[in-house]
Amino acid sequence: MAVLNDKNVILDVRNLSIDYRPLDQAPVQAVRNVSFQLRQGEVMGLVGESGCGKTTLMLGLMRLLPAGGRIVTGQVNFMGRDLMQLSEPEMNGVRWKNISMIFQGAMNALNPVHTVGDQIAEALLLHTPTREKAVLDARVLELLDLVGIAASRKDQYPHQYSGGMRQRAMIAMALACNPQVVIADEPTTALDVMIQAQILELLSNLRRELGLAIIFVTHDLGVVAEMCDAVLVMYGGVTAELADVDTIYNEPAHPYTQELLRAFPDLTRPGEKLTAIPGYPPRLDPPPPGCRFAPRCPKVFERCTQEEPMLHELGDGHVASCHLVTT
Ligand SMILES: Nc1ncnc2c1ncn2[C@@H]1O[C@H](COP(=O)(O)OP(=O)(O)OP(=O)(O)O)[C@@H](O)[C@H]1O
Ligand SMILES: [Mg+2]
């Protein structure tokens, strides 16, 4: 990855911690002390098994947590402002206009009774001063073209679209207000392999053409290798490892990253046996003492079950939270 200097940092997340406090139940410590930086035009992969806190981290930084969700500590610096300190109207000015999100399962969230074109126009109206129909129509067509949907489809309803087209329409909505950062939360999970590849190519092109910074949340390490510059590996709500993509694939330091990679097919190493990680991620209400990965870790030793490992810097931008890297 090209080393970019810090003035290119567009989003700087520091020590973000998020709880869910369901009524009458113990709080879920869903995200703890996660920090990362995103540079202009950079794609960061966010990976980790189900329940590791990926969606919570993203909803938290957009301040879109569901009821019961609460930011406990942390800063989200975006273009010189800490988003956590903004008033709700100020934050409304940032969402979609500066940072937008394609939600997990989003393609099913289109409204069935409005045409796709109208729904994209609706997203535009959130931040565009004009209400002039001709101007809005032109921009809707421009956005449809950007995501590869024919102009003739503008006045159709979501049920007339295929799954891949619905996902493209959601991407068009996310791009409506020219954001600098787009968060894509598993944007291809429900799509077949061919359509998935097309959507990924679309996102790569948009990044190149528009200079977008993208946070790409996924379970698919193959996609990460292809798309991303940097990778944040989360486990049980904490950062297991963060590094540029080559380091993650060639010199993973955290046993969780190593196990995740062993569970994925690698085309360059045909015949290699895939091994699933036995067991499940921990409950977080509260998390177990020590390292959260200890119960499943093939390299576990005594200290792991007693003391929580802190994040340790291994090199330029490479951090991991494992006692093995500090001893
Ligand atoms: N609304 C909620 N109320 C209480 N707990 C929640 C809520 N949403 C998520 N959680 C808990 O927070 C933790 C993190 O969940 P989250 O959805 O962020 O994980 P994820 O990494 O996005 O998983 P997936 O890959 O399945 O999308 C989990 O333990 C989950 O059970
Ligand atoms: Mg999720």
Side-chain angles (χ1 to χ4, degrees):
M1 179 179 62
V3 180
L4 299 163
N5 66 36
D6 269 7
K7 74 175 190 315
N8 290 316
V9 170
I10 185 162
L11 186 67
D12 182 3
V13 175
R14 300 241 171 129
N15 297 316
L16 200 58
S17 294
I18 303 165
D19 278 358
Y20 288 107
R21 308 210 163 167
L23 285 177
D24 303 328
Q25 283 169 42
V28 179
Q29 299 180 21
V31 172
R32 276 295 169 277
N33 285 318
V34 174
S35 303
F36 66 87
Q37 294 185 327
L38 188 69
R39 290 165 183 80
Q40 208 178 348
E42 183 179 39
V43 182
M44 186 185 85
L46 176 54
V47 301
E49 288 158 286
S50 195
C52 282
K54 305 180 299 293
T55 297
T56 302
L57 176 63
M58 295 299 109
L59 292 175
L61 70 84
M62 288 201 71
R63 291 189 26 198
L64 286 173
L65 289 166
R70 202 174 70 97
I71 307 283
V72 184
T73 55
Q75 296 178 352
V76 177
N77 299 305
F78 179 78
M79 296 171 77
R81 293 193 294 178
D82 178 7
L83 301 184
M84 300 299 109
Q85 302 301 327
L86 299 188
S87 67
E88 194 46 35
E90 284 170 332
M91 191 63 208
N92 262 331
V94 172
R95 285 187 208 112
W96 316 123
K97 191 165 165 46
N98 297 120
I99 307 179
S100 71
M101 184 156 171
I102 304 161
F103 293 97
Q104 196 167 359
M107 64 187 201
N108 301 317
L110 286 165
N111 190 330
V113 299
H114 293 287
T115 66
V116 172
D118 280 353
Q119 293 184 63
I120 297 174
E122 197 69 31
L124 276 170
L125 279 172
L126 284 176
H127 288 285
T128 314
T130 182
R131 306 225 148 223
E132 225 178 293
K133 192 162 172 359
V135 177
L136 285 174
D137 272 354
R139 177 72 180 137
V140 169
L141 289 175
E142 197 176 271
L143 284 162
L144 287 175
D145 183 52
L146 196 63
V147 299
I149 296 177
S152 58
R153 300 284 208 145
K154 176 168 106 37
D155 297 323
Q156 289 188 336
Y157 291 86
H159 75 266
Q160 294 168 293
Y161 275 42
S162 67
M165 283 177 71
R166 287 205 295 272
Q167 192 60 300
R168 283 169 190 271
M170 293 308 298
I171 294 172
M173 283 164 86
L175 296 174
C177 303
N178 288 321
Q180 291 95 332
V181 177
V182 172
I183 298 170
D185 193 352
E186 305 201 24
T188 60
T189 308
L191 301 170
D192 74 52
V193 184
M194 294 303 288
I195 306 292
Q196 196 173 5
Q198 288 172 11
I199 297 283
L200 295 176
E201 196 185 325
L202 169 65
L203 286 170
S204 290
N205 291 342
L206 292 171
R207 169 246 196 127
R208 220 178 18 251
E209 284 162 24
L210 309 176
L212 278 180
I214 301 176
I215 302 178
F216 197 88
V217 183
T218 180
H219 287 112
D220 189 333
L221 286 172
V223 167
V224 169
E226 219 165 283
M227 288 260 311
C228 300
D229 304 303
V231 187
L232 171 58
V233 182
M234 283 184 79
Y235 186 78
V238 300
T239 300
E241 188 160 5
L242 171 63
D244 65 77
V245 71
D246 292 340
T247 305
I248 288 287
Y249 282 86
N250 299 321
E251 300 163 62
H254 198 293
Y256 181 55
T257 314
Q258 294 162 4
E259 293 301 306
L260 269 186
L261 287 168
R262 273 153 52 90
F264 265 84
D266 181 346
L267 293 179
T268 63
R269 278 177 283 182
E272 192 168 301
K273 203 162 147 252
L274 299 181
T275 37
I277 313 175
Y280 300 96
R283 291 185 63 138
L284 300 172
D285 57 344
C291 172
R292 295 173 186 206
F293 189 54
R296 302 169 75 193
C297 182
K299 297 179 176 168
V300 65
F301 61 108
E302 205 179 334
R303 189 174 166 201
C304 306
T305 53
Q306 294 160 357
E307 191 188 323
E308 186 174 355
M310 295 294 109
L311 266 185
H312 184 75
E313 180 140 10
L314 291 152
D316 191 21
H318 184 192
V319 291
S321 59
C322 172
H323 289 307
L324 281 174
V325 303
T326 58
T327 46

